[in-house]
Amino acid sequence: MDILLADVLGLCFGVRRAITLAEDALRAGQAVYTLGPLVHNPQEVARLSDAGIRALETLEALSGDTVVIRAHGARPEVFEHLQQEGITIVDATCPFVAKSQRLARNLTDQGYNLVIVGHPGHPEVQGILGYAQNPAYVITDPIEVAALPRDTIPAVIAQTTVNEHTFLDMVEAIVARFPHPQVYNTVCSATRERQDAARRLASQVDAVYVVGGRESSNTNRLAEICRALCPATRLIETAAEIAADDMQGVERVGITAGASTPDWLIEQVVATLRTLAGEVPLVNKNER
Ligand code: SF4
């Protein structure tokens, strides 16, 4: 049995950087907290917690030497509050998200109304809204464009992880209603690259394991994409979910993983499949 890895899989640049920054702070001997989980993966959150990096849900509960702002970023008031409390801040806001925050501030300073294509409750969106200086809107469906106030001067950006087609549909609806909107495509390529690689992988194999958290939306999307091309696709959180029976009649098995899945979970899946296959060489290498 051959084992193939997707060309691009696993942790994106922003989440990998956030984990590294948090671990660096821990090594410096500080008590480290994050506001919300650092990554959408229960096994990695548990590993970080065991190491001493604890996720808290509210600002009021924060204490200790250091707080890591996760890759999603946070509203300016969060930074102000932490500074007032004398807490050391490690800002792990993904540079791509930071760019959206700067756009929000600059464009609204110029009198535009920020229109974010994304999910209103998502922490990245909530953080970006904090940088808008005047009324701002979040839309998830082109039909919502009709509900924007008539005097809106739109400056349109995207939540970094929305589907690019969705974003372009929204822009089309906005252009049809408002003259000369400012438009910035801030969709991050990490999601698209993993989805494209998953398609390539699923079209070459008999079975696919998608490794990642069951609550992770990007992992679920990868599973949907693979399943459409390879019905024997399974979403698993850990290698313990692999059954030897699953491999019956399988000549080529593929592995991909969500943008929040750490390397060690992927490596455990590879090792388990290699054992089941009787030590076969990897066909291709992960190009992360
Ligand atoms: S998905 Fe993109 S924007 Fe979001 S954390 Fe990862 S690299 Fe940054």
Side-chain angles (χ1 to χ4, degrees), residues 14-173:
V15 175
R16 187 180 293 279
R17 175 175 170 272
I19 293 171
T20 301
L21 288 171
E23 289 181 329
D24 287 349
L26 194 67
R27 270 193 288 276
Q30 303 155 3
V32 179
Y33 297 87
T34 63
L35 185 54
L38 200 55
V39 53
H40 285 160
N41 182 278
Q43 289 74 27
E44 181 66 353
V45 169
R47 185 190 72 81
L48 292 168
S49 177
D50 288 348
I53 299 168
R54 307 227 160 75
L56 299 172
E57 290 307 321
T58 64
L59 269 180
E60 291 71 31
L62 290 176
S63 63
D65 296 333
T66 298
V67 168
V68 179
I69 301 296
R70 56 190 174 168
H72 293 318
R75 299 172 75 91
E77 307 92 90
V78 173
F79 288 86
E80 286 158 19
H81 175 89
L82 295 172
Q83 279 159 357
Q84 279 162 11
E85 295 296 316
I87 293 169
T88 303
I89 301 170
V90 173
D91 186 1
T93 305
C94 176
F96 300 134
V97 176
K99 179 185 163 193
S100 295
Q101 294 171 344
R102 282 195 301 276
L103 282 170
R105 172 151 284 163
N106 294 341
L107 290 163
T108 57
D109 273 348
Q110 293 169 44
Y112 288 97
N113 297 105
L114 190 68
V115 178
I116 306 177
V117 176
H119 303 284
H122 192 281
E124 176 193 320
V125 172
Q126 284 299 314
I128 294 169
L129 284 172
Y131 291 82
Q133 309 295 309
N134 56 21
Y137 308 95
V138 183
I139 55 174
T140 53
D141 190 288
I143 205 165
E144 294 169 47
V145 172
L148 292 173
R150 191 191 300 265
D151 59 354
T152 303
I153 310 172
V156 192
I157 67 170
Q159 181 184 326
T160 53
T161 47
V162 295
N163 182 304
E164 200 157 28
H165 297 297
T166 307
F167 175 70
L168 296 176
D169 286 349
M170 301 284 203
V171 169
E172 202 176 304

Side-chain angles (χ1 to χ4, degrees), residues 5-9 197 200-201 284-288:
L5 291 179
D7 297 336
V8 185
L9 78 170
R200 287 194 295 275
L201 177 77
N284 64 343
K285 287 193 174 224
N286 175 4
E287 292 176 3
R288 279 165 294 158

